[in-house]
Coordinates of all heavy atoms in Angstrom, one line a residue:
A1 N 105.5 139.9 65.7 CA 104.2 139.3 65.5 C 104.0 138.3 66.7 O 104.5 137.2 66.6 CB 104.2 138.6 64.2
Q2 N 103.3 138.7 67.7 CA 103.3 138.0 69.0 C 102.1 137.0 69.1 O 101.0 137.4 68.7 CB 103.4 138.9 70.2 CG 104.7 139.7 70.2 CD 104.9 140.5 71.5 OE1 104.2 140.3 72.5 NE2 105.9 141.4 71.4
L3 N 102.4 135.9 69.5 CA 101.3 134.8 69.7 C 101.5 134.2 71.1 O 102.6 133.9 71.5 CB 101.5 133.7 68.7 CG 100.7 132.4 68.9 CD1 99.2 132.7 68.7 CD2 101.2 131.3 68.0
T4 N 100.4 134.1 71.9 CA 100.5 133.5 73.2 C 99.8 132.2 73.3 O 98.7 132.0 72.8 CB 99.8 134.5 74.3 OG1 100.5 135.8 74.2 CG2 100.0 133.9 75.7
L5 N 100.5 131.2 73.9 CA 100.0 129.8 74.1 C 99.8 129.6 75.6 O 100.7 130.0 76.4 CB 101.1 128.8 73.5 CG 101.5 129.0 72.1 CD1 102.7 128.1 71.7 CD2 100.3 128.8 71.1
H6 N 98.7 128.9 75.9 CA 98.4 128.7 77.3 C 98.3 127.2 77.6 O 97.9 126.4 76.8 CB 97.1 129.4 77.7 CG 97.0 130.8 77.5 ND1 97.6 131.8 78.3 CD2 96.4 131.5 76.5 CE1 97.4 133.0 77.8 NE2 96.6 132.8 76.7
T7 N 98.7 126.8 78.9 CA 98.5 125.5 79.3 C 98.5 125.5 80.8 O 98.7 126.5 81.5 CB 99.7 124.6 78.8 OG1 99.3 123.2 79.0 CG2 101.0 124.9 79.5
E8 N 98.1 124.3 81.3 CA 98.1 124.1 82.8 C 99.0 122.9 83.1 O 99.1 121.9 82.4 CB 96.7 123.9 83.4 CG 95.9 125.1 83.4 CD 94.6 125.0 84.3 OE1 94.1 123.8 84.3 OE2 94.2 126.0 84.8
V9 N 99.7 123.0 84.3 CA 100.6 122.0 84.7 C 100.3 121.5 86.1 O 100.0 122.3 87.0 CB 102.1 122.6 84.6 CG1 103.1 121.6 85.0 CG2 102.3 123.2 83.3
S10 N 100.6 120.3 86.4 CA 100.5 119.8 87.8 C 101.8 120.2 88.5 O 102.9 120.0 88.1 CB 100.4 118.3 87.8 OG 100.5 117.8 89.2
A11 N 101.6 121.0 89.6 CA 102.7 121.5 90.4 C 103.1 120.6 91.5 O 103.9 121.0 92.3 CB 102.4 122.9 90.8
K12 N 102.5 119.4 91.6 CA 102.7 118.5 92.8 C 104.2 118.2 93.0 O 104.7 118.4 94.1 CB 101.9 117.2 92.6 CG 102.1 116.2 93.8 CD 101.3 115.0 93.5 CE 101.5 114.0 94.7 NZ 100.7 112.7 94.4
E13 N 104.9 117.7 91.9 CA 106.3 117.3 92.0 C 107.2 118.5 92.3 O 108.2 118.4 92.9 CB 106.7 116.6 90.8 CG 106.0 115.2 90.6 CD 106.2 114.3 91.8 OE1 107.3 114.3 92.4 OE2 105.2 113.6 92.2
M14 N 106.8 119.7 91.7 CA 107.6 120.9 91.9 C 107.5 121.3 93.4 O 108.5 121.7 94.0 CB 107.2 122.0 91.0 CG 108.0 123.3 91.1 SD 107.6 124.6 89.9 CE 106.0 125.1 90.5
I15 N 106.3 121.2 93.9 CA 106.2 121.6 95.4 C 107.0 120.6 96.2 O 107.7 121.1 97.2 CB 104.7 121.5 95.7 CG1 103.9 122.6 95.0 CG2 104.5 121.6 97.2 CD1 102.4 122.5 95.2
E16 N 107.0 119.3 95.9 CA 107.8 118.4 96.7 C 109.3 118.6 96.5 O 110.1 118.5 97.5 CB 107.5 116.9 96.2 CG 106.1 116.5 96.6 CD 105.9 116.5 98.1 OE1 106.8 116.0 98.8 OE2 104.8 116.9 98.6
L17 N 109.7 119.0 95.3 CA 111.2 119.3 95.1 C 111.6 120.5 95.9 O 112.6 120.5 96.6 CB 111.4 119.6 93.6 CG 112.8 120.1 93.2 CD1 113.8 119.1 93.6 CD2 112.8 120.5 91.8
R18 N 110.7 121.5 96.0 CA 111.0 122.7 96.8 C 111.1 122.4 98.2 O 112.0 122.9 99.0 CB 109.9 123.8 96.5 CG 110.2 125.1 97.3 CD 109.2 126.1 96.8 NE 109.4 127.4 97.5 CZ 108.6 127.8 98.5 NH1 107.7 127.0 99.0 NH2 108.9 129.0 99.1
K19 N 110.2 121.5 98.7 CA 110.3 121.1 100.2 C 111.6 120.4 100.5 O 112.2 120.7 101.5 CB 109.1 120.2 100.5 CG 107.7 120.9 100.6 CD 106.6 119.9 100.9 CE 105.3 120.6 101.0 NZ 104.2 119.6 101.2
K20 N 112.0 119.5 99.6 CA 113.3 118.8 99.9 C 114.5 119.7 99.8 O 115.4 119.6 100.6 CB 113.4 117.6 98.8 CG 112.3 116.5 99.0 CD 112.4 115.5 97.9 CE 111.4 114.4 98.0 NZ 111.4 113.5 96.9
L21 N 114.5 120.6 98.8 CA 115.6 121.5 98.7 C 115.7 122.5 99.9 O 116.8 122.8 100.4 CB 115.5 122.3 97.4 CG 115.8 121.5 96.1 CD1 115.5 122.4 94.9 CD2 117.2 121.0 96.1
N22 N 114.6 122.9 100.4 CA 114.5 123.8 101.6 C 115.0 123.1 102.8 O 115.6 123.6 103.7 CB 113.1 124.4 101.7 CG 112.9 125.5 100.8 OD1 113.8 126.2 100.3 ND2 111.6 125.8 100.5
A23 N 114.6 121.8 102.9 CA 115.0 121.0 104.0 C 116.6 120.8 104.1 O 117.2 120.9 105.1 CB 114.4 119.6 104.0
L24 N 117.1 120.6 102.9 CA 118.6 120.5 102.8 C 119.3 121.8 103.0 O 120.4 121.9 103.5 CB 119.0 120.0 101.4 CG 118.6 118.6 101.1 CD1 118.9 118.3 99.6 CD2 119.3 117.6 102.0
A25 N 118.6 123.0 102.7 CA 119.2 124.3 102.9 C 119.3 124.7 104.4 O 120.2 125.5 104.7 CB 118.3 125.3 102.1

């Protein structure tokens, strides 16, 4: 019995985290 829930999220901090991790990589 499947139910789908939707939302939106600010990706600003995730983008910044990815930039920092890539810089360290």
Side-chain angles (χ1 to χ4, degrees):
Q2 297 191 12
L3 167 69
T4 303
L5 307 171
H6 303 285
T7 192
E8 284 192 333
V9 183
S10 170
K12 179 180 178 181
E13 294 302 322
M14 182 173 70
I15 293 171
E16 290 301 316
L17 172 64
R18 182 171 179 261
K19 287 180 180 178
K20 291 175 182 177
L21 290 174
N22 282 335
L24 292 173

